Amino acid sequence: MPMTEQATGAQHPQPRARNGGPSSASVEHLTGAQSLIRSLEEVGADTVFGLPGGCILPAYDPLMDSTRVRHILVRHEQGAGHAATGYAQATGKVGVCMVTSGPGATNLVTPIADAAMDSVPMVAITGQVASAAIGTDAFQEADICGITMPITKHNFLVTRAEDIAHTIAEAFHIASTGRPGPVLVDIAKDALQAKTTFSWPPSMDLPGYRPVTKPHAKQIREAAKLITQAKRPVLYVGGGVMKAGATAELKVLAELTGAPVTTTLMALGSFPDSHPLHVGMPGMHGSVTAVTALQKADLIVALGARFDDRVTGKLDSFAPYAKIVHADIDPAEIGKNRAADVPIVGDAREVVADLVQAVQAEHTDGNTGDYEAWWKDLNRWRETYPVGYDLPEDGSLSPQQVIERIGELAPEGTIFAAGVGQHQMWASHFIKYEQPSTWLNSGGAGTMGYAVPAAMGAKAGMPDRAVWAIDGDGCFQMTNQELTTCALNNIPIKVAIINNGALGMVRQWQTLFYNQRYSNTVLHSGADTDGAPAKGTRVPDFVKLSEAMGCHAIRCEDPADLDKVIAEANAVNDRPVVIDFIVHEDAMVWPMVAAGTSNDEVMAARGVRPDFGDNEDD
């Protein structure tokens, strides 16, 4: 994400010449470490997820005295990074994590890459060896700036105490404006220990970073004309709409135009699932209606979306009849995968608000879209190919039913965080998202182990909201140690383990594409001869493991107990709750577009290809 990209104009200190600090600011004499903690307080960071070590240790001493910054001690640095992401996604504020040098810093690489792919505002603070030792392969030295350069929006190496305050201000400004993203601040140990002066606000110097939020009026007018002229338009809504806080404006635009709305995996909740204009999620496991709507559209209005491969399928066959209006805060995304007929660079909230006015002007001039025939097709597809599931014939638990009931029984406003795999897709389909920022997941990177620490971060940031982590037994075994963090820090999340005894999505691919050769996807100690998980095996026993980490733990195997168990979990709010749902191992995610194929080849279920009729290919 280049430093020249556009920005949303978030309220943070504005850049000015470094020698132009305000004369009214009081000056204090502090150590670099004290300056760091004071800076975090002043930028509004109220929660830091971290793990101390030698090089960052000087910062942990003044942190102990802070009454404005809560530190949450994680059990692994990856947990700190994902928790910061979950906090940011749930609250809309910048998430913060702080770890030491070397392996502490490199353990942040995965969550930093995850935050970069999903445009999450995060500031990662890492300790570094003393400046004189940098480059000598000193103990616990790693060039974390070099390592993370491709996966951060920007990063800083600070070797002087006097640079700490303005660097933190700049880091928060960069992370939260334009296309949000992770910023890393690597601070040498001697810079933390040295004496300096502190004043706030500091002056910032960010040459070349001049965010522009206002879209070009001519492009807006052209987009509005195309919307009213189109016969088969689709509003293709991505996570950028959520990041920009443009959900209210989106609803106005959709209802004004009457065009169908499809929301990507990262945008679920930005438009109510229950709204009649909503046709579902597009992509590899999207609804048949959403996938087909994009394929048959004559106009796609992409708002804060990036035409990624999971949505487009085989790119050269994607939406062959459609003109493209592409609005994005990051100009690098426009035309990257699909050429835009009307490119619009700007903040999604301003773009959508201006589009509303331009479409209203078109209506005033007598130009209104006629989508009656289009909705006739859409409604027929919706009725013929709804997203659904079959209950297992043997009477065992259906994973889809488990997730659906969790969603139906959860308190209003519950935040759901999902791991990656089958359970993630089922959670996207069978939980209804009516409000923004209630669905957290790892979309771009697809990071297993995301759910538990992200849920922890979300609950820390939104303590009055219920938070459920929908996890798989594979994902859960990567980061479950953060349940200890939750138990000791009064963070009562609820975790549903969708336990099919296997790496479910990989196993599904082996079933469909590898002749049912289940190589290394069974998670228990043994396997039946047919490749299914060994019956009755409990290695590990998730109930005992969770109880050992201070959680209330339950196992559910009988569909008759499902509602009772979920209600029990919802009633416990003084500690984390873990439910081990033993589900049928052969359940699959449908619909599906096989990797590398055209979206025209979407399968509604195994062996079921939708029939759209000859008259719809015009």
Side-chain angles (χ1 to χ4, degrees):
M1 285 179 259
M3 286 284 290
T4 55
E5 66 194 46
Q6 311 293 332
T8 61
Q11 296 303 305
H12 285 281
Q14 294 302 304
R16 70 186 85 180
R18 188 161 288 166
N19 61 2
S23 58
S24 60
S26 60
V27 176
E28 301 175 67
H29 295 277
L30 305 173
T31 65
Q34 290 171 321
S35 177
L36 171 62
I37 303 307
R38 285 292 305 278
S39 298
L40 290 174
E41 291 175 340
E42 295 300 330
V43 295
D46 55 27
T47 306
V48 173
F49 303 91
L51 188 66
C55 288
I56 198 64
L57 200 55
Y60 271 81
D61 188 61
L63 179 61
M64 190 175 185
D65 299 324
S66 177
T67 59
R68 295 161 63 184
V69 178
R70 177 191 187 190
H71 181 271
I72 295 175
L73 175 63
V74 299
R75 266 52 192 172
H76 189 283
E77 291 89 355
Q78 183 178 353
H82 291 316
T85 292
Y87 173 96
Q89 289 176 311
T91 65
K93 298 190 288 187
V94 177
V96 186
C97 51
M98 185 164 70
V99 304
T100 197
S101 64
T106 57
N107 280 342
L108 280 183
V109 169
T110 294
I112 288 172
D114 183 273
M117 289 285 278
D118 289 345
S119 303
V120 178
M122 181 174 81
V123 171
I125 299 167
T126 55
Q128 183 55 275
V129 299
S131 53
I134 292 175
T136 68
D137 290 333
F139 178 68
Q140 290 193 335
E141 180 190 0
D143 179 10
I144 196 62
C145 285
I147 291 168
T148 62
M149 188 173 292
I151 55 170
T152 50
K153 186 174 177 183
H154 193 61
N155 61 37
F156 299 87
L157 172 61
V158 181
T159 58
R160 303 190 311 165
E162 58 264 36
D163 293 333
I164 290 174
H166 72 78
T167 301
I168 293 297
E170 290 166 2
F172 274 74
H173 178 71
I174 294 168
S176 61
T177 56
R179 177 179 178 175
V183 177
L184 181 131
V185 181
D186 193 33
I187 308 176
K189 185 174 184 178
D190 54 323
L192 293 170
Q193 294 170 320
K195 293 287 188 180
T196 187
T197 57
F198 177 84
S199 64
W200 198 270
S203 42
M204 296 195 293
D205 186 18
L206 297 172
Y209 190 69
R210 294 293 180 267
V212 176
T213 63
K214 190 70 175 169
H216 197 287
K218 180 177 181 295
Q219 303 297 83
I220 292 289
R221 289 194 300 270
E222 185 62 28
K225 287 179 183 177
L226 288 179
I227 291 171
T228 55
Q229 292 169 359
K231 298 296 183 184
R232 302 188 302 277
V234 176
L235 299 182
Y236 160 40
V237 176
V241 168
M242 195 93 74
K243 299 292 191 303
T247 56
E249 290 81 359
L250 171 65
K251 190 168 184 284
V252 172
L253 177 65
E255 292 176 346
L256 176 66
T257 62
V261 178
T262 178
T263 49
T264 68
L265 185 68
M266 296 306 299
L268 296 180
S270 60
F271 192 76
D273 276 358
S274 61
H275 198 288
L277 294 177
H278 191 246
V279 295
M281 181 181 77
M284 174 178 278
H285 292 294
S287 72
V288 169
T289 307
V291 171
T292 308
L294 290 172
Q295 286 301 99
K296 305 293 187 183
D298 64 358
L299 175 68
I300 292 175
V301 181
L303 302 169
R306 56 188 181 86
F307 293 90
D308 68 284
D309 63 294
R310 280 301 193 258
V311 167
T312 65
K314 187 179 179 183
L315 187 58
D316 60 11
S317 68
F318 174 70
Y321 316 113
K323 290 186 176 180
I324 303 294
V325 173
H326 192 179
D328 203 283
I329 191 72
D330 185 356
E333 289 295 344
I334 297 177
K336 185 179 79 174
N337 293 328
R338 175 67 180 259
D341 297 279
V342 180
I344 303 174
V345 176
D347 172 62
R349 189 171 185 177
E350 297 204 33
V351 169
V352 177
D354 287 0
L355 271 176
V356 167
Q357 292 186 342
V359 171
Q360 286 172 334
E362 288 289 317
H363 289 181
T364 300
D365 292 341
N367 304 318
T368 57
D370 179 6
Y371 313 142
E372 184 177 351
W374 183 220
W375 272 109
K376 185 178 178 181
D377 287 340
L378 292 166
N379 286 327
R380 185 173 72 255
W381 300 335
R382 233 182 342 201
E383 292 165 7
T384 307
Y385 304 106
V387 176
Y389 59 91
D390 295 321
L391 295 175
E393 294 180 359
D394 63 1
S396 59
L397 268 179
S398 156
Q400 299 99 319
Q401 184 184 26
V402 168
I403 292 169
E404 186 174 54
R405 290 303 289 159
I406 289 172
E408 289 169 348
L409 296 174
E412 184 179 356
T414 293
I415 297 169
F416 297 91
V420 170
Q422 288 181 316
H423 60 281
Q424 175 191 26
M425 295 298 102
W426 290 323
S428 72
H429 282 307
F430 298 112
I431 295 174
K432 301 306 177 188
Y433 302 98
E434 302 296 313
Q435 301 175 28
S437 303
T438 53
W439 164 247
L440 318 179
N441 82 123
S442 172
T447 305
M448 292 180 67
Y450 167 91
V452 169
M456 175 176 72
K459 183 68 174 176
M462 305 291 281
D464 296 331
R465 301 275 284 275
V467 178
W468 271 93
I470 310 295
D471 219 0
D473 47 333
C475 288
F476 183 73
Q477 292 186 71
M478 294 191 174
T479 53
N480 62 62
Q481 69 272 8
E482 298 311 332
L483 287 171
T484 302
T485 308
C486 293
L488 294 176
N489 288 275
N490 190 30
I491 305 175
I493 66 171
K494 306 178 196 306
V495 181
I497 305 173
I498 309 302
N499 186 354
N500 61 3
L503 298 173
M505 188 62 86
V506 186
R507 188 175 192 272
Q508 175 169 331
W509 281 47
Q510 289 173 332
T511 300
L512 297 174
F513 309 121
Y514 291 88
N515 299 316
Q516 298 180 334
R517 289 166 56 82
Y518 299 113
S519 174
N520 291 284
T521 46
V522 175
L523 288 172
H524 291 314
S525 58
D528 294 337
T529 55
D530 63 354
K535 303 297 187 293
T537 307
R538 297 279 184 263
V539 180
D541 184 319
F542 291 133
V543 170
K544 292 179 180 178
L545 178 64
S546 300
E547 287 176 342
M549 290 187 285
C551 302
H552 180 73
I554 319 164
R555 179 170 290 116
C556 182
E557 301 184 69
D558 188 341
D561 297 331
L562 182 57
D563 284 13
K564 179 182 69 175
V565 165
I566 295 171
E568 180 180 340
N570 283 329
V572 175
N573 291 301
D574 62 346
R575 60 193 137 154
V577 181
V578 177
I579 309 178
D580 183 18
F581 290 104
I582 309 300
V583 301
H584 197 279
E585 68 268 13
D586 288 328
M588 292 195 190
V589 179
W590 299 102
M592 181 177 182
V593 178
T597 66
S598 168
N599 284 353
D600 290 327
E601 299 177 46
V602 61
M603 302 293 289
R606 191 171 185 183
V608 179
R609 176 158 292 160
D611 179 7
F612 300 111
D614 295 334
N615 64 327
E616 290 151 16
D617 289 323
D618 49 80

